[in-house]
Every structure is written in structure tokens, then in C-alpha cells.
Amino acid sequence: MDRYAAMQYFCRVVEQGSLAAGARALNLSNSVVTKAIQSLEAWTDCRLLARTTRSMQLTEAGERFYSFCQRTLADTERTLTDVRSVSRGLTGRLVVAAPVSLTLSHLHVHLHAFQAQHPGIELEMRLNDRPVDLVREGIDVALRGQARLEDSSLVAMPLMDLARVVCAAPAYWERHGRPATPADLSGHNCLQYLLGDDRDEWVFDGPDGRARVRVSGTFRADNSLLLIDAMRRGVGLGLVPSVMVKDALADGSLQTSLDAYVAPPRRLFAVYPTRDHLMLKVHALVTFLKQQLPPLTPSVPSAAPP
């Protein structure tokens, strides 16, 4: 008997709780399913199911073999999907979780370019600045500004460094003056990113080494674009990824300060579940982004949100 089909029948029997229920779910006769399980027991030389007239349960060997069957069937389906994708081109739905501000200000260009290159892909974007549960929420890959992975079944691939700058509108600098050192920030209205691990204390490396300064202000948000809008309106100054304000810096609506001091940069990661066979669609997107985004700097730390 076809062992692949026999493993499918075995798993369905285990999941349904009885041979008869499994056969009904498969739309097969009891005798066909019984023969399939007997063939597996002959192949493994083990009794897989302890059966009585009223009950059925896995033996210890059966439990191990059931896990093996689940992995084998899942890996086979993924591999077949990937092989078919190679011949047909990348197709189907690709669910991507990504940070709101960075996606709307920068990543959207690359995501559209990726889909233009692979028109068979149905790109589903879920924008959220908070951590997500990839498996539970059915997400294929998450783009995150941090890589503290509590789930050991996840892999984090670095994609892009996120240098940060202190900036404000010219009108704000005219009213309050520009800080000469990080210590001067304590007298300024500092707009804070609520989801950052440095929301209350900013860190800089400068001519005299590392400096830490407590900051506070009258406007805080969990969205960087909202903070940047407030900065352009002259509300206060902010510490934000330079890629998000490059246009504002170019047209002069924002101007930097403390240019001799460097805030530790952040890093963008692609996070996805560990798999023996990574989905080709995920691999293609990660590879595309690594090619399009600026090269990584080796000294950048691997963790911390943008």
C-alpha cells in the first residue's frame, strides 16, 4: 500500500478518535483503513494503536510515529507547494506584518516593487507597531524593528540599519535654540515614541564618550509619523529614524541638531517561523528586500525597537 496515503489515514484515525470515525471522515471503508494501519505496523514492526471493541489509543511507539507522520505530511505539502511555485512562478497569498510608520514612509516602495516583479502573489499587509504572534495570526513573515525573540521557533534575519537623528522645525530652533550637547535636551520639549525602549532616556555617543539624558515633553505617541508631523508643526524636537525624515530634511521643513553625537542605530529584521523548508514566497521577499535596502553595518546591535 502507498505509505504516504497510509500515513494520512493513520493521522485521520488518531485525530477522529476511532477507526470508524476516521474512515467516515476519509469516506473510505473500515477495511481499507484497517489494512493501511496494518501495513504501517508491519513496516515499523511496532504496534501503533491499542484497540478494543470500545476504545482506541496510541501506544508509546504510536505517539512517536504520529508525530513523525505529522512532520512528514506537512513537509511534503510545503515542498510540493514550493516545487509547483517554481514551475508556475510565485503565486498565492503572502501575509506580511510590518511597522506602520516605516512602511508608509519607506518600505511601501519596495513592497510594491516586489509585487510588480511577482504579479501572481497576493500581498496582504498587516500594519502594527506592536509584536504579533506569527503562528496564531497566520502571518508568513513579520518586518520588525527589534529581534528579542521569546519564541525559539522563530528566525530573525537582519535587513536594514536605522540610523537616527535629532531634528525639529526651523521655527522651534528659532524660539528655543539648538542644544549644544545631549545634556541640553533636558531643557527642551522632547517628543517621545511610546513603544521605544528609550522613550524616557536617550543615549548618544560623542566626542566625550557615551552620554545618557532623561527626556520629557508635552506630546507622546506610539506612531513615529504622528511625532514627525508634530515636529514639523514646531511642537518640539524628536529622535527618529533618518529614513523617515529624509524628505523633510531635504526641503528644510526639519533641521537636525547634535550632529556630532550619534544615537545607537536600530535594525530592521525579517522574522519568520523556523521551517525545514522555508516558503519560497518568504525567501523571495526577504532576498528582494536585502538587495534593495542599504547594506548592513556590522557594528549595529541586533536588538531594540525603532
Side-chain angles (χ1 to χ4, degrees):
M1 174 172 281
D2 182 346
R3 284 178 181 163
Y4 183 75
M7 286 192 287
Q8 290 179 308
Y9 300 170
F10 174 69
C11 286
R12 186 57 62 90
V13 166
V14 173
E15 290 157 5
Q16 293 295 319
S18 73
L19 190 147
R24 284 195 300 272
L26 292 163
N27 197 27
L28 296 171
S29 67
N30 287 3
S31 61
V32 169
V33 176
T34 298
K35 288 179 181 179
I37 293 174
Q38 288 173 343
S39 72
L40 293 177
E41 291 180 327
W43 178 41
T44 60
D45 195 25
C46 292
R47 190 179 184 188
L48 302 176
L49 295 172
R51 299 183 288 275
T52 68
T53 55
R54 294 188 176 182
S55 67
M56 181 208 78
Q57 65 181 65
L58 286 168
T59 63
E60 182 178 353
E63 290 179 356
R64 295 186 180 184
F65 188 70
Y66 175 61
S67 296
F68 164 76
C69 289
Q70 287 182 306
R71 294 194 303 272
T72 301
L73 295 174
D75 287 347
T76 301
E77 285 303 311
R78 281 196 294 267
T79 301
L80 288 174
T81 299
D82 287 350
V83 169
R84 290 163 183 155
S85 294
V86 170
S87 61
R88 302 173 186 169
L90 295 177
T91 60
R93 188 175 70 150
L94 178 61
V95 182
V96 181
V100 179
S101 300
L102 187 61
T103 301
L104 295 178
S105 64
H106 184 69
L107 295 178
H108 68 289
V109 175
H110 303 295
L111 292 166
H112 287 307
F114 172 75
Q115 190 169 35
Q117 199 174 92
H118 303 285
I121 286 184
E122 302 167 16
L123 194 58
E124 180 175 316
M125 298 300 304
R126 301 184 186 178
L127 302 189
N128 197 320
D129 289 326
R130 299 179 185 275
V132 293
D133 187 321
L134 273 67
V135 176
R136 181 174 299 173
E137 298 180 36
I139 294 167
D140 297 314
V141 59
L143 307 180
R144 293 182 181 172
Q146 53 89 17
R148 291 202 261 303
L149 301 179
E150 297 179 0
D151 187 342
S152 61
S153 70
L154 299 178
V155 171
M157 177 67 67
L159 294 178
M160 174 188 181
D161 295 330
L162 298 169
R164 298 183 297 163
V165 294
V166 172
C167 55
Y172 178 85
W173 295 136
E174 290 173 9
R175 291 196 307 271
H176 302 283
R178 296 178 187 243
T181 68
D184 296 337
L185 291 172
S186 60
H188 280 269
N189 192 28
C190 299
L191 311 186
Q192 298 156 280
Y193 178 61
L194 289 173
L195 301 182
D197 63 349
D198 59 353
R199 55 175 284 184
D200 298 317
E201 182 181 69
W202 293 354
V203 180
F204 299 90
D205 293 315
D208 301 320
R210 174 153 290 192
R212 298 177 180 272
V213 58
R214 299 286 296 180
V215 295
S216 61
T218 60
F219 189 81
R220 295 174 290 278
D222 62 359
N223 182 283
S224 295
L225 290 181
L226 190 58
L227 292 177
I228 292 169
D229 177 72
M231 292 157 54
R232 297 180 74 154
R233 295 172 185 274
V235 175
L237 61 84
L239 175 62
V240 293
S242 58
V243 70
M244 292 188 190
V245 292
K246 62 180 181 179
D247 292 339
L249 294 176
D251 65 24
S253 57
L254 289 178
Q255 297 174 346
T256 62
S257 185
L258 295 178
D259 294 339
Y261 297 85
V262 178
R266 301 320 195 197
R267 179 165 276 184
L268 179 71
F269 291 83
V271 181
Y272 48 84
T274 300
R275 291 176 178 167
D276 293 334
H277 302 286
L278 179 64
M279 289 176 60
L280 282 183
K281 289 178 287 189
V282 173
H283 176 75
L285 176 61
V286 172
T287 300
F288 181 85
L289 291 176
K290 285 180 71 69
Q291 293 171 344
Q292 299 299 314
L293 298 173
L296 296 162
T297 302
S299 60
V300 173
S302 63

